[in-house]
Amino acid sequence: MQGVAHTMVDVQLLGPVELSAAGRAVEVGPPQRRTVMAALAVDVGRPVAADVVMERVWGTRAPDGARGAVHAHVARIRRVCEQAAQTAREPLSVVRRSGGYLLEARPDQVDVYRFRQLVDQARTAGPADTERARLLREALDLWRGEPLSGLRGQWAARMREAWRRQHQDAAVGWARAELGHSDPASVIGPLTGLLGEYPLAEPLAEALMRALHESGRSAEALDCYAAVRKRLAEELGTDTGPALRQLHQTILRGHRPGPAKRPKPSETARPAERPAQLPMTVRGFTGRDEELARLEEILASAQGEFAAVVISAVSGMAGVGKTALAVHWARRAENAFPDGQLYVNLRGFDPQGAVMPPTEAVRGFLDALGVRPDRVPPGLEAQVGLYRSLLTGRRMLVVLDNARDEEQVRPLLPGAVGCMALVTSRNRLTGLAATEGAHLLAVDPLTPDAARDVLAERLGTGRVAAEPEAVADVVTWCAGLPLALAVVSARAAAQPRRPLGTLAEELREAGGRLDALDGGEEASQVRAVFSWSYSALSPAAARLFRLLALHPGPDLSRDAAAALAGAPPERVRGLLAELTGGHLLLEQAPGRYAFHDLLRVYAGELVAAYDDEWERRAALHRMMDHYLHSARAADVLVTPQPNPVASSAPRSGANPVEPEDYGRALAWLVAEHPVLLEIVRQPPPGFDGHVWRLVTVLTTFLDRHGHWEALLTAGHSALAAAERDGDLVGRAGSHRGLGLALDRLKSPEPAREHYLRALELFAELGSDAGQARTHQHLSRMSGAQGNPGLALEHAYRSLEHYRRADDPAGQAAALNHIGWMEAQLGEHHSALAHCEQALELARAAGDVDGQAHISDSLGYIHHRLGRHQQAVDRYREAAALFRATGERRSEAACLLCLGDTHHSAGQPDAAHAVWARALALTDELGLPDDDSLRADLRDRISELPLP
């Protein structure tokens, strides 16, 4: 697969960094000089500032003399280029410009750009596979080994990673096109080499399996599947995707697979896991026709069969409407992404510095994609691998809003054919263009004409046309920022009979009262708009606006706003409506409110200026009490316990939420835990007691829902807070939480150290409740490590302490654990006695989750004792309780056992019906075909067909 020889000087980056003159390699020099050459070549035709070159060569800590070294290297590179030009018709050169150093050449003289051009041409090629395959084969021939071979540093590593993803996409495209028109045996060799290079690339494995099977080598195809599946399990903790599983089943059945193609959305979409996370769109959106058209062009260019992920990085200043543009376009483009939309606000420029780490964002995506907590692998790398695997074969839009920099974004990019990432940021994110081939789209302030159109859309064309001079003044003060225009038009719309000239005069007066901000004239103007709108608020709404700046974000409920204000929630409802009606606050989801960053800064200025330290601290105290006591009330319902950690009564006006039942308690925790984690991550000074108590009541929820990385981070914050607070209870609880987090994250030895330290402190405190729960954790961990004797010992110790603490729900959990282990050892009568006692206690305590698991244990024991009707009754009870608590996979597993019991009792029709119901439930959950539960259900159904 050799390309055409060139009569020009080329820069080669897809391998060792070299120059090629008329097809002959020209040595550039030592590694540092080659890095400088590469740093200029990736931005061919654009000046690269010396500081940027230095950062690409040495990172953020360039040594003394680095600038001079860059200058010397550029001089040597210039001479090498001049020498190479003597044997070529089309030379290249390095020149100095005001913006930095510039590599003068056509883009196709740099191999990585030539590679992208060929891939783009293949994407837009006609329906014939032959032309597409030829173009992609030529693109792949440009690769001479590892990109930037021999170069060190983070920049070179980032470039390599991004280019390898593009190489993998092109290889998949070539394989599919080649299989569509040529002898499958001819692609086995190249595909084997490519899969060796990208061992986790399922599309490559699929193409190789097809080629092997169609060439009569089906056994090798099955071996290939087994090897890929094993690698995915070992390295990512996940299973193969639906397309590969379907091909595997086809080969097993001895059928000839259909032509290679990208799976249709309908083949891979799973109804229970179709996320729709986009926030509400802005009403009356207008004025961005050019930007919308550009996004449509980007989407259209990605519609080819082998289009890889397209990243459109939308950048612009604060308040210019980036998020509104992204959300509005994403809503318009929903039909192009039938498998759903993921959205996250990365808070890259949060005034309080609460930037969302990639770990938190990808964990949220896994939740949205329906991944069960017990299937979430530990560690960012493994979670990113699972996230990208889940998007394979889907057409999904991922909106990454308000990103700080490229490093925050890269782990969240889908990397899957058919998906698109839309990124917004105040920064241009040019690194994504260089490494990921992103399309950059700058969003500028609206032109005066477009701003007038926005006002006309919101106020009516007649009113705007009647006062052109006043409108011109308003447009000037709004500085072309949609946020400011929304604020002004909201107030003007609320006063339809008031002349716009009067409003314009008020804006001028407001601007005259303000000092200029460091942001320049535009910032001063938009601040004047905020001041003008704020002055029109009622005193109560103005006070609430200021106090909301004390909230950590990312959003808050009406109840939390009421706590900050110290007012009843029903009174605050009208104040929130006043703020959202004036566009000073966003209702981004029903009942959830958030600030725009600029408005948060402005509100923060006001609360510091107009509310004294006593008032601010009182508001913070009410807010902290609100969250602590609400979380405690929810936790007690989710995990009944008689002895929660003591704390003082909530302050008047804290208005803590008191959920009525398990479902409402769980819903509150799901909605509020991002806020609670933000409070723990950046607590207001002087609230250490609230911090460690809050983590204590959150521990069970975070554990059950698989937020183990968050639990680990929160545990460290809690331990530090408890040590500052000098509280032994807080230290003991923090060690227990840290042990639990490390236990779940597969670090048993550090976990045991924290557990044992917690036991020491709880014993010193005389806390039976604390010792009971810690022994319970140690029992479970010991059992998982294959030490049933030690597990049983800890379980009995746990039961002893739960009895001393008079904790019925805890006693029930300990007794159930003892009974289950005895059942596994064949001691069924003793197990039955323990579990029946456990169920009685769990019912008395109202522990729904505990009742479900104990009933399941009892069903198992009765079945083993041959008491089929009792087993059926218990399994039915357990399945209903699992359904009520939302543990649908546990429900399906319970139904499998219920079917087994019917079968043992000689009731095949009942068994078949229950198994079919369970299999349908696994379909709803989107479990993979070779999930052990689904496989067991299919086997039972196939062995017991209906008569």
Side-chain angles (χ1 to χ4, degrees):
M1 299 192 294
Q2 295 298 319
V4 180
H6 295 294
T7 58
M8 57 186 178
V9 180
D10 290 333
V11 182
Q12 298 180 338
L13 306 181
L14 301 176
V17 177
E18 296 175 342
L19 290 179
S20 174
R24 297 178 59 186
V26 178
E27 176 62 34
V28 176
Q32 201 172 87
R33 188 174 304 147
R34 296 201 302 273
T35 307
V36 174
M37 181 78 231
L40 301 178
V42 295
D43 284 310
V44 59
R46 297 193 297 267
V48 183
D51 289 343
V52 174
V53 177
M54 290 162 56
E55 183 177 349
R56 290 175 178 177
V57 176
W58 290 283
T60 55
R61 297 183 178 180
D64 294 339
R67 193 175 298 274
V70 168
H71 181 75
H73 283 311
V74 169
R76 296 296 298 271
I77 291 170
R78 185 181 292 119
R79 286 197 289 273
V80 170
C81 290
E82 291 171 352
Q83 293 171 4
Q86 297 175 6
T87 59
R89 298 177 186 174
E90 299 186 51
L92 55 80
S93 61
V94 179
V95 297
R96 184 69 183 267
R97 291 283 187 266
S98 59
Y101 300 104
L102 172 70
L103 178 66
E104 281 191 330
R106 296 203 320 265
D108 61 357
Q109 288 179 255
V110 179
D111 59 358
V112 71
Y113 281 91
R114 174 66 180 153
F115 170 81
R116 288 179 187 159
Q117 287 176 348
L118 290 165
V119 171
D120 288 341
Q121 290 172 26
R123 185 178 298 148
T124 58
D129 287 327
T130 52
E131 177 64 10
R132 189 176 294 123
R134 183 191 66 77
L135 290 165
L136 290 171
R137 186 164 56 243
E138 185 177 343
L140 294 173
D141 274 346
L142 294 172
W143 285 69
R144 299 170 296 110
E146 181 182 57
L148 305 179
S149 176
L151 303 191
R152 298 181 178 180
Q154 293 183 351
W155 175 78
R158 289 198 305 268
M159 302 296 284
R160 269 192 292 270
E161 180 186 357
W163 294 345
R164 282 172 63 84
R165 285 204 297 268
Q166 295 169 21
H167 182 234
Q168 179 179 325
D169 286 338
V172 171
W174 168 78
R176 287 172 172 164
E178 200 72 55
L179 281 172
H181 81 279
S182 68
D183 177 11
S186 67
V187 302
I188 290 175
L191 280 173
T192 301
L194 287 167
L195 188 59
E197 191 173 353
Y198 303 107
L200 302 179
E202 294 187 54
L204 283 177
E206 180 188 353
L208 177 56
M209 287 172 62
R210 286 181 182 277
L212 288 167
H213 182 56
E214 292 181 3
S215 300
R217 298 160 65 176
S218 299
E220 293 177 57
L222 295 175
D223 289 342
C224 175
Y225 177 82
V228 172
R229 185 183 181 191
K230 181 180 179 181
R231 284 195 295 268
L232 288 169
E234 291 177 348
E235 299 187 31
L236 300 180
T238 187
D239 208 343
T240 52
L244 207 58
R245 290 196 300 272
Q246 183 177 355
L247 177 59
H248 177 240
Q249 292 296 317
T250 299
I251 296 173
L252 283 174
R253 290 192 295 267
H255 297 164
R256 185 179 179 86
K261 61 183 178 68
R262 184 176 62 207
K264 296 178 181 178
S266 60
E267 295 170 349
T268 58
R270 293 178 283 199
E273 299 178 13
R274 185 188 184 280
Q277 294 188 313
L278 293 176
M280 293 188 291
T281 191
V282 176
R283 286 176 292 180
F285 181 91
T286 189
R288 292 295 185 191
D289 292 343
E290 291 185 10
E291 290 85 352
L292 291 170
R294 174 61 179 142
L295 288 170
E296 292 294 339
E297 290 175 6
I298 293 170
L299 177 61
S301 70
Q303 293 301 305
E305 185 176 358
F306 305 113
V309 59
V310 175
I311 305 140
S312 181
V314 179
S315 62
M317 66 178 290
V320 81
K322 301 179 297 296
T323 298
L325 171 66
V327 171
H328 182 79
W329 180 82
R331 291 284 187 189
R332 286 187 10 173
E334 282 183 353
N335 290 338
F337 302 99
D339 295 317
Q341 314 90 32
L342 296 171
Y343 171 89
V344 63
N345 179 4
L346 295 172
R347 306 196 300 272
F349 300 90
D350 188 278
Q352 298 181 348
V355 178
M356 178 181 287
T359 50
E360 183 178 335
V362 76
R363 184 64 180 79
F365 285 168
L366 292 177
D367 284 342
L369 291 166
V371 178
R372 301 190 315 273
D374 61 328
R375 290 194 67 201
V376 175
L380 175 62
E381 184 176 351
Q383 290 180 9
V384 169
L386 175 57
Y387 156 64
R388 288 175 174 160
S389 295
L390 289 171
L391 296 190
T392 300
R394 300 188 183 191
R395 290 195 59 81
M396 188 170 288
L397 177 64
V398 181
V399 180
L400 307 174
D401 192 19
N402 203 12
R404 186 173 187 84
D405 52 33
E406 293 90 344
E407 296 308 310
Q408 190 186 21
V409 166
R410 283 194 175 95
L412 307 176
L413 299 177
V417 173
C419 293
M420 177 174 181
L422 184 58
V423 186
T424 75
S425 177
R426 295 185 197 176
N427 297 326
R428 281 189 59 78
L429 305 183
T430 54
L432 292 182
T435 59
E436 276 78 19
H439 301 261
L440 300 181
L441 174 62
V443 180
D444 297 319
L446 294 169
T447 64
D449 288 342
R452 277 192 292 273
D453 290 342
V454 170
L455 291 175
E457 177 73 22
R458 294 172 179 266
L459 303 178
T461 55
R463 189 176 180 188
V464 169
E467 298 184 73
E469 293 183 0
V471 169
D473 287 343
V474 170
V475 166
T476 299
W477 279 107
C478 290
L481 298 183
L483 174 63
L485 288 163
V487 171
V488 170
S489 59
R491 185 172 170 192
Q495 300 172 313
R497 297 183 180 179
R498 195 169 191 185
L500 295 180
T502 304
L503 300 180
E505 181 59 32
E506 290 176 357
L507 275 173
R508 279 193 294 272
E509 292 174 0
R513 292 193 301 266
L514 296 171
D515 298 327
L517 297 178
D518 293 339
E521 183 180 358
E522 288 178 341
S524 300
Q525 290 170 331
V526 74
R527 189 164 176 258
V529 171
F530 294 164
S531 172
W532 168 76
S533 185
Y534 168 78
S535 67
L537 294 172
S538 66
R543 176 175 175 270
L544 177 61
F545 177 75
R546 300 193 303 270
L547 293 177
L548 290 179
L550 302 175
H551 191 274
D555 59 6
L556 82 165
S557 65
R558 186 186 68 186
D559 293 316
L564 279 165
E570 52 273 16
R571 183 184 173 199
V572 168
R573 185 198 303 270
L575 303 180
L576 291 169
E578 186 176 347
L579 293 176
T580 56
H583 283 268
L584 295 175
L585 192 68
L586 305 173
E587 188 176 10
Q588 60 180 24
R592 305 293 300 185
Y593 301 88
F595 269 129
H596 186 283
D597 286 352
L598 289 181
L599 284 162
R600 178 185 284 278
V601 170
Y602 180 64
E605 293 176 357
L606 294 178
V607 76
Y610 295 111
D611 299 278
D612 59 27
E613 175 65 24
W614 181 90
E615 172 67 12
R616 295 196 300 271
R617 185 162 182 80
L620 283 170
H621 207 140
R622 290 192 299 269
M623 180 191 77
M624 297 294 282
D625 278 0
H626 167 81
Y627 281 121
L628 175 58
H629 288 274
S630 299
R632 172 178 294 168
D635 181 52
V636 167
L637 283 172
V638 171
T639 312
Q641 50 191 287
N643 300 309
V645 176
S647 65
S648 57
R651 282 199 167 193
S652 176
N655 298 313
V657 174
E658 296 184 2
E660 298 176 6
D661 52 33
Y662 180 98
R664 289 180 174 86
L666 184 60
W668 188 90
L669 288 166
V670 168
E672 298 293 353
H673 83 271
V675 177
L676 304 181
L677 290 175
E678 205 56 59
I679 289 174
V680 171
R681 187 156 37 219
Q682 296 191 94
F687 289 95
D688 289 328
H690 284 76
V691 169
W692 67 257
R693 287 181 174 87
L694 195 52
V695 175
T696 299
V697 298
L698 270 179
T699 296
T700 298
F701 169 80
L702 294 175
D703 173 46
R704 285 186 182 173
H705 288 75
H707 297 287
W708 300 311
E709 295 282 358
L711 178 57
L712 184 63
T713 301
H716 285 299
S717 298
L719 183 58
E723 289 174 344
R724 288 192 301 267
D725 201 31
D727 196 291
L728 204 59
V729 175
R731 288 169 55 200
S734 300
H735 280 294
R736 183 183 74 84
L738 285 167
L740 184 56
L742 290 164
D743 181 3
R744 300 298 196 189
L745 292 170
K746 312 299 183 186
S747 299
E749 292 311 312
R752 189 177 298 277
E753 291 177 11
H754 280 289
Y755 282 150
L756 295 178
R757 181 59 179 147
L759 282 178
E760 292 175 5
L761 294 172
F762 282 130
E764 185 178 342
L765 288 162
S767 171
D768 286 302
Q771 291 179 80
R773 298 185 81 177
T774 309
H775 276 299
Q776 187 177 347
H777 299 328
L778 283 163
S779 176
R780 187 199 53 75
M781 188 172 77
S782 299
Q785 291 181 302
N787 194 337
L790 184 59
L792 205 55
E793 178 184 340
H794 280 298
Y796 274 108
R797 295 284 300 278
S798 175
L799 176 61
E800 176 186 349
H801 285 291
Y802 274 130
R803 284 173 171 165
R804 290 178 184 171
D806 192 23
D807 184 347
Q811 293 174 52
L815 285 165
N816 182 51
H817 193 50
I818 291 170
W820 178 256
M821 286 189 294
E822 289 175 333
Q824 303 309 302
L825 295 171
E827 301 173 10
H828 295 116
H829 290 284
S830 177
L832 181 63
H834 282 124
C835 288
E836 284 180 339
Q837 187 181 358
L839 184 60
E840 183 179 347
L841 287 168
R843 285 173 173 168
D847 184 0
V848 180
D849 185 75
Q851 291 176 59
H853 287 280
I854 298 166
S855 295
D856 186 68
S857 298
L858 283 166
Y860 176 87
I861 296 166
H862 280 300
H863 187 187
R864 293 300 178 275
L865 288 170
R867 301 172 180 175
H868 297 132
Q869 187 56 51
Q870 292 95 322
V872 166
D873 293 341
R874 291 304 184 210
Y875 275 135
R876 284 176 175 169
E877 181 181 357
L881 290 168
F882 281 132
R883 184 163 58 253
T885 59
E887 297 184 59
R888 304 307 302 278
R889 191 181 195 280
S890 295
E891 179 189 354
C894 184
L895 290 173
L896 181 145
C897 296
L898 174 58
D900 289 348
T901 306
H902 280 304
H903 187 255
S904 298
Q907 301 167 342
D909 291 355
H912 194 287
V914 171
W915 287 333
R917 198 168 103 215
L919 188 61
L921 180 55
T922 65
D923 287 337
E924 293 177 21
L925 292 171
L927 299 184
D929 287 339
D930 49 7
D931 177 90
S932 59
L933 177 58
R934 278 182 62 82
D936 288 344
L937 286 165
R938 282 199 310 272
D939 289 344
R940 282 162 169 76
I941 291 172
S942 64
E943 292 170 3
L944 187 67
L946 281 173

